Amino acid sequence: MKYNPNEIEEKWQKYWAKNQTFAASNNSEKPKHYVLDMFPYPSGAGLHVGHPLGYIASDVYSRFKRHQGFNVLHPMGYDSFGLPAEQYAIQTGQRPEDTTRVNIDGGLDKEGKQIAGYRKQLDKIGFSFDWAREVRTSNPDYYKHTQWIFIQLFNSWYNKETNRAEDISTLTAIFEKEGNANVNAVSDDNIQSFSSGEWKAFSADEQEKILLQYRLTYLAETEVNWCPGLGTVLANDEIVNGVSERGGYPVIRKKMTQWSMRISAYAERLLQGLNDIDWSESIKESQRNWIGKSVGAMVSFNVKNHDEVIDVFTTRPDTIFGVTFMTLAPEHDLVAKIVTADQKNAVDAYIEKTAKRSERERMADVKTISGVFTGAYAEHPFTKEPIPVWIGDYVLAGYGTGAVMAVPCGDERDYAFANFFKGQNGMPEIKNIFDKDISEAAFGAKEGFQLVDSDFLNGLDYKTGTQKVIAALEKIEQGKGKTNYRLRDAVFSRQRYWGEPFPVYYVNGLPKMIAAEHLPVILPEVEKYLPTEDGLPPLGNATIWAWDTKNNEVVNTDLVDNFEIFPLELNTMPGWAGSSWYWMRYMDAHNEDRFASKEALAYWESVDLYIGGSEHATGHLLYSRFWNKFLKDKGFAPTEEPFKKLINQGMILGTSAFVYRIEGTNSFVSKNKIGDHKVQPIHADVSMVNSSDELDVQKFKAWREDYADAEFILDDNGKYIVGREVEKMSKSKYNVVTPDDICAEYGADTLRLYEMFLGPLEQAKPWNTAGISGVFGFLKKLWRLYFDENNGLIVNNDEPTKDNLKSLHKTIKKVGEDIESFSFNTSVSQFMICVNELSTQNCHSRAILEPLAILVSPYAPHIAEELWSQLGNKDSISTVAFPVFDAKHLVETNKEYPVSFNGKMRFTIELPLDLTAAQIEEIIMKDERTQKQLDGRTPNKVIIVPGKIINLVG
């Protein structure tokens, strides 16, 4: 009976689906364990072999926990709204809802091309997902709850006194009673103070405008990353090197009225929460840096000849007497107000230029120095001396106050800026306030100095100087101590079509929420998916997109009368909206009334293990933690943190193939024949190249029309050898290997084992299809322990030998420890060692092979199920108890001693370890090999160390 993976895998995948083998219960006496993968967004490209790496790892762990007796929730769904899905639809001239559905379920696209579909691809790999809980963020029954969460955020404010979000009604109650003078809230800056009487006298619209300054989601004019090519606002983590990650389009800074989320309210809790979760230190550090907590002072500098004030946050208030100039962000509101007439042209030109650079690019570029003097001067709060005000793109409007008090003697970037513009109009000599030499570089340390030329701070150090200057600033009312965060409120609007509609309509230009009982507000159909000609988002093209407040339904936009029927919000929510709470929906995926029942939330609590890519460190993971904390504040989530343990899988890289075209010709030269030729490397599809790096020339010529008449300079053996290079696996590099092809040729169990065998889970590693045959060979060798090709099942009931038990229990110990520590690659190595040993031992004992099938099951579940069934077991192997390690089987009872004569080893002998030295000597002296070596002589000394050495001297 031969090993036939395709037949076995199809059989067991049908069995699992029919029997709901991996369905998790929300009411189980077993302990729970929740294992989650970062769900994919369905693109037209489908899965390549790099995508399943994390899924296989989480599946191994999930199956292992079931063997340990846990009720395991291991769900899967699709992050199906957002930019990737929409861009694919636009590029292929299709509707996003159609392409998304086909990309998930499979089928024919608009051009008649067969799309495999994520679901079918995932099923072929044999994952133990509870598919009954599948979610799709673009389904109305899902985004109904996303809209509901948005409404909860809108109807909440952050109370600094209680350090949590509260209902907006508690805030209005305070306003009614005493005004806002004593309200300690996270809110907009510069809110006007009002009394109880004034609040009551405000109109409803005036009150609503004030409340918008406190709500956790609010409308405000914001500096955003605008991408004209994509027609939408992008988050910082969606921009790479100044262009959009999706499509590579230029990104500029632009002011727009946007919905924003007050994530900044949770900055300290997001920071402190990192101490309570089991995440890698690198991810925690990324989040700490993004949150960017700093302790210092807020200082106000009056602008000479203006009523304006420049507020600056600084972590070094002790250096205030070293302020040489000030720098504003080019987009700072004050620039236009204070710039002088003679500097206006230069300033305007500079602002236009810097608008084309993203914030991320400006932050990363520490080498380029640029700026312009505004012609204006600020006033030093103590000396009253004039301080020139510059603009420079190393200062960002959204970080701190968008202004810097530049102290070149103590800051390298200020030092470089001052020296770059040295001698120019508006750049004075650097003031040195340290008893240190700064002729070559700034002195940035916070210790080992005394302040000089610093008035009342002379002779003080950093700590004492900081305390004294803050007190002095507070006394003259030009500053105060302050803790600041780099984390800014998150822009929550996208000028795109394929996203969650906001449950918002507008009355007198002010946002109103649609009542929860009327959700979902369903995304309307439109003909065009790009922004309208007048710049409105795509929903501006919708003909039925107005809210009838009398009948509580969406109606034709022509009916808007601003009396009963009002315009709806045209923006949609960003891609991270649906992914910021999805793990809770899996807990109770079909609940129509709530995003999850209290009982389900109380049972599952939070995710025990989360596996996904590190690229989400400061985007998805930060937003998810924010929403989870908010929902906890409002009594909807059971825990403060959503993910207890996080593991980032490394990337599987592709091994690209290159052909070499001789410049200016259509001739291709084999790698070994390049010589002095000037060549252009060109990617070739890896499917045309065999494991020996030989190109199928005829396939290559048929691949593209312009290669049909190409000529080839071959090696002497008539072969064309390609070059190889390890790169990111990508369709554009033609180095994609699909799991479907691997499963068809070798089986899913081979794919699963091979991906785990490639190397440590968290490291990047190159894919090499040539290596997969070795893993396939291992599975065939495992099969032969149970089956003979001619005689069928050959498992017997023989008593296992000590060596059999030793091989098994070494594997039980190793595999159990490896899975718990996520060292999956070394488990696969141990399986290979074990099977080799059992094969050498000619072991076919049921007592060994039954537990071996269970050990293999998490990694290669199909073959394990088949072996388990063929051994006569009726139920699935998936919940059978994991074998128990017994240390006694690894205790060595014998020792193979090297026997030496005058220090030279002549032979070995295996003896029991419990023999005394005298007993060992007696056995050795009677051994024929000893007598032959001695040749009648009597040794002068016999040195025996039990368990170690035997040496006869003389």
Side-chain angles (χ1 to χ4, degrees):
M1 186 173 177
K2 282 186 175 181
Y3 171 49
N4 186 334
N6 298 118
E7 185 179 299
I8 290 169
E9 289 168 7
E10 183 180 0
K11 169 186 172 181
W12 287 104
Q13 286 164 15
K14 286 180 179 178
Y15 174 92
W16 295 331
K18 179 182 178 182
N19 292 281
Q20 295 282 292
T21 304
F22 308 115
S25 170
N26 281 4
N27 184 20
S28 173
E29 294 180 358
K30 295 179 179 180
K32 72 93 181 179
H33 205 84
Y34 187 174
V35 181
L36 180 65
D37 299 284
M38 289 186 187
F39 61 173
Y41 55 79
S43 70
L47 294 176
H48 61 60
V49 292
H51 292 128
L53 177 67
Y55 304 158
I56 296 170
S58 68
D59 199 58
V60 170
Y61 194 78
S62 297
R63 290 175 177 274
F64 172 66
K65 299 308 281 188
R66 291 191 192 95
H67 286 308
Q68 287 189 316
F70 286 85
N71 176 31
V72 176
L73 174 56
H74 185 39
M76 179 52 72
Y78 306 95
D79 194 7
S80 49
F81 262 145
L83 203 52
E86 183 170 352
Q87 281 302 107
Y88 177 78
I90 290 170
Q91 289 165 6
T92 56
Q94 302 177 71
R95 299 165 71 236
E97 49 267 57
D98 293 339
T99 58
T100 299
R101 185 184 64 256
V102 170
N103 287 335
I104 293 173
D105 297 328
L108 295 175
D109 68 4
K110 183 181 177 183
E111 298 172 350
K113 181 182 176 184
Q114 184 67 41
I115 304 295
Y118 273 64
R119 175 63 193 271
K120 291 184 177 67
Q121 287 187 294
L122 291 168
D123 278 345
K124 280 186 178 179
I125 304 173
F127 294 117
S128 61
F129 295 134
D130 181 354
W131 280 114
R133 297 173 185 256
E134 178 198 297
V135 301
R136 302 183 186 187
T137 60
S138 59
N139 281 1
D141 63 356
Y142 181 90
Y143 68 71
K144 163 185 177 178
H145 302 288
T146 309
Q147 291 172 341
W148 178 85
I149 293 171
F150 175 84
I151 293 170
Q152 306 315 303
L153 283 153
F154 182 81
N155 288 327
S156 300
W157 66 293
Y158 199 89
N159 188 340
K160 288 184 178 181
E161 296 294 336
T162 59
N163 199 29
R164 66 185 182 89
E166 296 182 6
D167 194 87
I168 202 75
S169 62
T170 64
L171 182 63
T172 55
I174 296 171
F175 291 168
E176 289 275 345
K177 185 177 180 181
E178 59 186 56
N180 70 343
N182 298 316
V183 170
N184 190 7
V186 176
S187 60
D188 291 356
D189 295 331
N190 305 317
I191 292 179
Q192 189 173 350
S193 181
F194 54 82
S195 66
S196 167
E198 288 171 322
W199 170 257
K200 292 173 184 175
F202 290 145
S203 68
D205 283 359
E206 287 171 329
Q207 289 181 346
E208 186 51 50
K209 287 176 182 177
I210 291 169
L211 289 174
L212 270 175
Q213 297 179 301
Y214 291 90
R215 295 182 186 275
L216 282 180
T217 185
Y218 60 95
L219 277 174
E221 191 176 64
T222 312
E223 278 278 344
V224 294
N225 301 310
W226 173 251
C227 180
L230 294 176
T232 192
V233 170
L234 299 178
N236 283 334
D237 52 293
E238 295 174 311
I239 304 165
V240 178
N241 298 325
V243 297
S244 63
E245 185 179 34
R246 171 70 46 174
Y249 298 105
V251 178
I252 62 173
R253 298 292 293 167
K254 181 179 179 181
K255 282 191 174 181
M256 298 181 71
T257 299
Q258 301 284 301
W259 281 102
S260 288
M261 291 275 176
R262 254 184 248 281
I263 188 174
S264 58
Y266 287 83
E268 186 63 26
R269 283 169 63 183
L270 288 167
L271 195 61
Q272 295 306 319
L274 294 171
N275 299 324
D276 303 323
I277 49 181
D278 183 8
W279 293 15
S280 71
E281 198 53 40
S282 62
I283 292 292
K284 287 184 179 183
E285 196 57 29
S286 292
Q287 293 217 345
R288 289 190 190 104
N289 290 337
W290 198 259
I291 296 165
K293 181 179 181 179
S294 51
V295 179
M298 188 67 74
V299 186
S300 296
F301 292 81
N302 295 322
V303 181
K304 284 185 171 294
N305 303 318
H306 289 273
D307 293 332
E308 308 295 342
V309 171
I310 299 174
D311 290 318
V312 171
F313 174 79
T314 175
T315 58
R316 294 297 303 273
D318 61 310
T319 65
I320 195 163
F321 288 98
V323 178
T324 303
F325 60 97
M326 302 194 75
T327 314
L328 303 181
E331 52 275 274
H332 197 291
D333 290 339
L334 286 183
V335 175
K337 297 176 182 178
I338 66 173
V339 63
T340 58
D342 56 340
Q343 290 296 111
K344 190 174 188 311
N345 289 340
V347 166
D348 288 347
Y350 184 74
I351 291 172
E352 183 179 352
K353 177 183 175 184
T354 57
K356 297 173 183 176
R357 301 183 78 201
S358 71
E359 284 195 355
R360 179 164 288 189
E361 184 181 1
R362 285 160 61 178
M363 288 169 67
D365 185 4
V366 295
K367 294 180 179 177
T368 304
I369 299 172
S370 67
V372 175
F373 178 41
T374 66
Y377 289 84
E379 182 182 85
H380 194 282
F382 295 116
T383 68
K384 307 305 179 184
E385 292 178 0
I387 305 170
V389 181
W390 288 66
I391 59 172
D393 69 356
Y394 74 97
V395 183
L396 305 174
Y399 287 88
T401 64
V404 168
M405 62 173 223
V407 182
C409 65
D411 181 272
E412 286 295 342
R413 199 147 194 180
D414 294 342
Y415 186 88
F417 194 93
N419 279 307
F420 186 83
F421 292 106
K422 185 177 181 180
Q424 292 191 27
N425 179 33
M427 185 53 68
E429 290 288 325
I430 294 174
K431 295 181 180 179
N432 185 13
I433 55 165
F434 300 115
D435 58 346
K436 303 291 178 185
D437 177 28
I438 62 160
S439 58
E440 298 295 328
F443 178 77
K446 287 187 175 181
E447 54 187 26
F449 69 89
Q450 285 188 343
L451 290 166
V452 298
D453 293 328
S454 294
D455 201 284
F456 60 89
L457 300 181
N458 284 338
L460 301 183
D461 59 11
Y462 159 72
K463 186 175 180 180
T464 312
T466 295
Q467 293 170 346
K468 193 165 183 178
V469 77
I470 289 174
L473 286 165
E474 290 177 350
K475 188 174 181 179
I476 64 172
E477 297 184 346
Q478 283 196 246
K480 60 181 179 179
K482 184 175 172 62
T483 298
N484 210 26
Y485 299 90
R486 186 182 296 119
L487 181 67
R488 296 172 301 153
D489 288 346
V491 175
F492 197 67
S493 297
R494 292 292 184 271
Q495 291 67 45
R496 298 305 296 240
Y497 169 74
W498 193 235
E500 296 89 345
F502 284 90
V504 176
Y505 63 97
Y506 287 89
V507 178
N508 298 329
L510 290 170
K512 303 292 181 183
M513 296 296 116
I514 292 170
E517 59 265 29
H518 305 308
L519 300 179
V521 178
I522 294 176
L523 190 68
E525 288 192 16
V526 296
E527 289 186 13
K528 298 177 181 178
Y529 302 113
L530 293 175
T532 64
E533 291 179 5
D534 54 0
L536 291 175
L539 288 184
N541 293 311
T543 56
I544 302 175
W545 197 239
W547 185 249
D548 183 336
T549 56
K550 183 178 180 181
N551 298 303
N552 293 306
E553 62 182 4
V554 177
V555 296
N556 197 295
T557 52
D558 292 339
L559 299 177
V560 170
D561 58 12
N562 290 309
F563 176 69
E564 286 185 347
I565 300 173
F566 299 91
L568 283 159
E569 171 67 67
L570 298 181
N571 288 314
T572 53
M573 297 186 197
W576 56 269
S579 63
S580 290
W581 69 278
Y582 76 109
W583 64 93
M584 287 186 274
R585 186 58 177 169
Y586 284 137
M587 297 177 187
D588 195 10
H590 303 294
N591 192 320
E592 294 182 7
D593 300 323
R594 300 167 58 92
F595 65 81
S597 70
K598 287 185 177 180
E599 294 75 19
L601 288 161
Y603 178 72
W604 293 109
E605 290 188 333
S606 60
V607 176
D608 295 285
L609 173 66
Y610 197 22
I611 296 183
S614 60
E615 67 272 17
H616 299 291
T618 54
H620 161 64
L621 290 174
L622 207 55
Y623 300 141
S624 297
R625 295 179 62 220
F626 159 43
W627 276 36
N628 198 93
K629 289 176 188 295
F630 166 73
L631 291 169
K632 173 72 165 59
D633 286 352
K634 299 304 292 287
F636 302 120
T639 60
E640 181 82 4
E641 289 288 342
F643 316 121
K644 291 180 184 176
K645 183 174 181 65
L646 171 71
I647 293 180
N648 298 128
Q649 84 273 12
M651 187 182 291
I652 288 185
L653 304 170
T655 304
S656 299
F658 288 90
V659 293
Y660 301 95
R661 183 166 59 193
I662 299 173
E663 287 187 3
T665 73
N666 201 21
S667 295
F668 294 84
V669 58
S670 179
K671 178 186 174 184
N672 301 326
K673 292 287 187 177
I674 291 175
D676 295 330
H677 290 295
K678 287 187 176 181
V679 296
Q680 175 190 8
I682 296 173
H683 282 96
D685 196 307
V686 294
S687 64
M688 305 173 188
V689 182
N690 66 18
S691 59
S692 300
D693 297 338
E694 298 166 359
L695 177 72
D696 186 321
V697 171
Q698 295 308 314
K699 277 188 179 180
F700 181 80
K701 292 176 75 170
W703 182 34
R704 280 175 35 180
E705 191 176 330
D706 49 328
Y707 296 155
D709 298 325
E711 296 180 352
F712 293 83
I713 301 173
L714 308 175
D715 281 9
D716 295 339
N717 60 3
K719 305 291 186 183
Y720 186 99
I721 304 301
V722 299
R724 290 287 198 176
E725 188 175 323
V726 174
E727 301 180 289
K728 181 179 179 180
M729 196 170 280
S730 164
K731 282 181 70 177
S732 65
K733 301 181 188 302
Y734 304 105
N735 62 359
V736 167
V737 178
T738 69
D740 311 54
D741 294 341
I742 300 298
C743 289
E745 187 170 355
Y746 298 102
D749 285 339
T750 297
L751 173 70
R752 292 169 63 105
L753 280 165
Y754 183 58
E755 293 220 2
M756 293 297 92
F757 186 52
L758 280 173
L761 178 62
E762 295 173 79
Q763 290 183 11
K765 45 257 176 188
W767 176 270
N768 183 359
T769 302
I772 208 164
S773 57
V775 174
F776 186 51
F778 155 72
L779 284 174
K780 289 191 285 187
K781 195 167 188 177
L782 170 69
W783 183 263
R784 288 196 294 271
L785 288 174
Y786 298 77
F787 293 97
D788 180 84
E789 197 169 310
N790 299 315
N791 301 317
L793 189 69
I794 54 173
V795 177
N796 55 48
N797 293 315
D798 291 355
E799 194 71 24
T801 67
K802 287 190 296 182
D803 284 343
N804 296 162
L805 289 165
K806 181 180 178 182
S807 294
L808 174 66
H809 282 269
K810 271 195 308 184
T811 306
I812 293 172
K813 183 176 188 292
K814 179 68 173 162
V815 172
E817 291 173 350
D818 282 351
I819 295 178
E820 290 286 15
S821 61
F822 307 98
S823 301
F824 302 114
N825 58 314
T826 51
S827 278
V828 180
S829 298
Q830 181 58 40
F831 286 139
M832 294 175 173
I833 292 168
C834 180
V835 168
N836 282 339
E837 289 177 352
L838 294 177
S839 299
T840 301
Q841 296 158 14
N842 197 27
C843 173
H844 303 289
S845 168
R846 178 182 291 269
I848 300 298
L849 298 185
E850 270 200 343
L852 179 61
I854 301 168
L855 291 176
V856 169
S857 174
Y859 290 82
H862 307 89
I863 192 173
E865 288 276 23
E866 183 66 18
L867 296 174
W868 188 251
S869 174
Q870 291 288 342
L871 288 170
N873 298 290
K874 300 301 181 186
D875 296 326
S876 167
I877 198 173
S878 61
T879 55
V880 177
F882 199 75
V884 178
F885 168 64
D886 191 338
K888 72 181 182 185
H889 295 301
L890 301 193
V891 175
E892 298 287 350
T893 56
N894 284 4
K895 163 73 178 177
E896 188 173 49
Y897 286 91
V899 181
S900 300
F901 294 83
N902 295 319
K904 292 185 178 181
M905 198 272 284
R906 296 302 183 184
F907 63 88
T908 61
I909 185 170
E910 187 170 318
L911 298 171
L913 277 168
D914 57 359
L915 295 179
T916 65
Q919 290 171 322
I920 294 171
E921 182 175 345
E922 183 180 353
I923 293 169
I924 288 296
M925 293 307 294
K926 290 179 179 178
D927 192 288
E928 291 181 3
R929 292 169 295 180
T930 301
Q931 297 302 320
K932 184 177 179 181
Q933 287 292 329
L934 292 175
D935 195 22
R937 292 178 288 107
T938 301
N940 296 332
K941 184 187 279 188
V942 178
I943 302 170
I944 295 173
V945 180
K948 293 189 176 180
I949 61 169
I950 300 171
N951 189 20
L952 287 74
V953 181

